[in-house]
Amino acid sequence: PPTLMAMPQPQTPFATQCPLCSQPNQCAMAHGKPAAECWCMHGGISPAALASLAPQERGQRCICPSCGQVAQAPPDSGKAAPL
């Protein structure tokens, strides 16, 4: 399960923007709502996306669902891999 993080209340209009793509991050906490209502509490967040955040952005701004999306493995076709 996701770890609850105490995000500071927005100090700038950038608090509601994804630091990776600048689109709205859909962060519930940035809009004054409980963390439990945030999209990130209901799905996985890509470790690669989190790793791509600049150190000064970590814990300050949330990424959007599109940037935070966990890549899905391609479905197994049921065929054996060629040798």
Side-chain angles (χ1 to χ4, degrees):
T3 303
L4 292 178
M5 184 182 260
M7 190 176 123
Q9 290 300 312
Q11 302 296 317
T12 69
F14 298 113
T16 59
Q17 291 180 333
C18 175
L20 300 177
C21 70
S22 299
Q23 295 300 309
N25 59 19
Q26 301 178 32
C27 177
M29 292 178 67
H31 291 284
K33 296 179 182 177
E37 292 183 20
C38 197
W39 71 267
C40 67
M41 296 293 146
H42 305 285
I45 300 175
S46 165
L50 292 175
S52 67
L53 286 172
Q56 66 272 17
E57 296 289 353
R58 294 178 187 171
Q60 301 300 309
R61 293 201 294 164
C62 293
I63 58 176
C64 71
S66 295
C67 290
Q69 194 172 36
V70 175
Q72 300 294 318
D76 185 8
S77 64
K79 297 179 183 176
L83 297 175

